[in-house]
Amino acid sequence: KQEVTQIPAALSVPEGENLVLNCSFTDSAIYNLQWFRQDPGKGLTSLLLIQSSQREQTSGRLNASLDKSSGRSTLYIAASQPGDSATYLCAPLSGGGADGLTFGKGTHLIIQP
Amino acid sequence: ETGVTQSPTHLIKTRGQQVTLRCSSQSGHNTVSWYQQALGQGPQFIFQYYREEENGRGNFPPRFSGLQFPNYSSELNVNALELDDSALYLCASSRRDRSADTQYFGPGTRLTVL
């Protein structure tokens, strides 16, 4: 059974800092891994998807890396802004896709103006 | 391209009642997955539908059931509601023929069971 852990659970930093959010998973037999952000009481917004054969993926100020063999992914946020404040969730997809995404509890991020 | 939509936005039920939640997939998507998110937790996978059949299921009892229609929209039905069923219910759509494709989530339905 896939299990996901995200560290840190919460983070509060001043605007402009570069950040690294960590995600670890127990079953390395994954198809892909997605990073999402969730604003309070809202649905999930997909940020990046990394295929199992890829090492990293970039979108704007976001960069996600994947080390499948060690069961780790990181999300790097450059030049953080107050609008980046949200909960960030990583979710690997395993079991041929039919097991659905497995989520951790996320990292609650606050960017101070 | 329209996004994933869900209805209703909020719902209040009492213990023992039944509820139906609805989801319309993003245009061009043929797979729908449902997730339950309790307060302060990450979403948990309930089940997935592809070509109108249940294609995978998480650790949820049979009183959680679903349907997928020919237009790829979907319903989640929960019978004999319990207090612990109070949560945000999310659906996500994707394209099954590209098994490693992105899942796109709807805004969710907030269910409160009293």
Side-chain angles (χ1 to χ4, degrees):
Chain A
K1 177 189 170 189
Q2 181 73 275
E3 293 182 3
V4 176
T5 303
Q6 290 190 245
I7 295 172
L11 187 61
S12 180
V13 299
E15 180 178 4
E17 285 203 5
N18 301 324
L19 309 169
V20 175
L21 308 183
N22 297 293
C23 169
S24 62
F25 48 94
T26 55
D27 183 357
S28 61
I30 64 171
Y31 276 73
N32 63 38
L33 184 144
Q34 276 187 257
W35 280 92
F36 296 90
R37 69 171 281 169
Q38 185 174 32
D39 294 292
K42 305 294 185 182
L44 277 63
T45 300
S46 181
L47 298 173
L48 289 164
L49 177 142
I50 311 178
Q51 307 289 1
S52 61
S53 58
Q54 295 178 316
R55 296 284 293 182
E56 67 179 70
Q57 193 68 251
T58 298
S59 176
R61 295 183 294 109
L62 305 179
N63 176 276
S65 67
L66 175 64
D67 184 343
K68 200 173 78 161
S69 60
S70 67
R72 293 180 184 177
S73 178
T74 61
L75 179 66
Y76 176 82
I77 303 175
S80 58
Q81 302 171 358
D84 295 331
S85 298
T87 296
Y88 289 79
L89 297 151
C90 77
L93 180 68
S94 48
D99 286 354
L101 295 168
T102 302
F103 290 87
K105 292 185 179 181
T107 294
H108 181 55
L109 177 63
I110 296 175
I111 308 299
Q112 306 154 10
Chain B
E1 189 176 80
T2 58
V4 180
T5 60
Q6 293 186 243
S7 63
T9 304
H10 296 90
L11 203 51
I12 299 175
K13 292 285 188 178
T14 56
R15 195 170 45 183
Q17 285 189 313
Q18 178 266 344
V19 69
T20 297
L21 311 181
R22 295 178 175 83
C23 172
S24 291
S25 302
Q26 186 163 316
S27 176
H29 288 183
N30 55 20
T31 301
V32 174
S33 302
W34 286 90
Y35 295 81
Q36 179 196 66
Q37 186 176 24
L39 204 60
Q41 304 294 316
Q44 284 196 303
F45 175 64
I46 303 175
F47 45 53
Q48 180 184 93
Y49 277 81
Y50 170 63
R51 290 185 175 176
E52 302 176 50
E53 290 190 1
E54 187 179 294
N55 186 56
R57 191 178 185 92
N59 189 27
F60 280 81
R63 60 188 185 84
F64 286 79
S65 63
L67 287 171
Q68 185 183 30
F69 300 100
N71 65 354
Y72 304 126
S73 65
S74 177
E75 287 182 355
L76 164 66
N77 299 291
V78 187
N79 293 322
L81 283 167
E82 301 177 359
L83 297 179
D84 285 349
D85 296 333
S86 294
L88 181 67
Y89 288 85
L90 298 161
C91 79
S93 72
S94 58
R95 290 179 296 192
R96 178 67 176 175
D97 52 352
R98 294 170 63 175
S99 61
D101 207 359
T102 300
Q103 292 198 25
Y104 294 92
F105 281 75
T109 294
R110 171 71 63 186
L111 173 65
T112 302
V113 182
L114 302 176

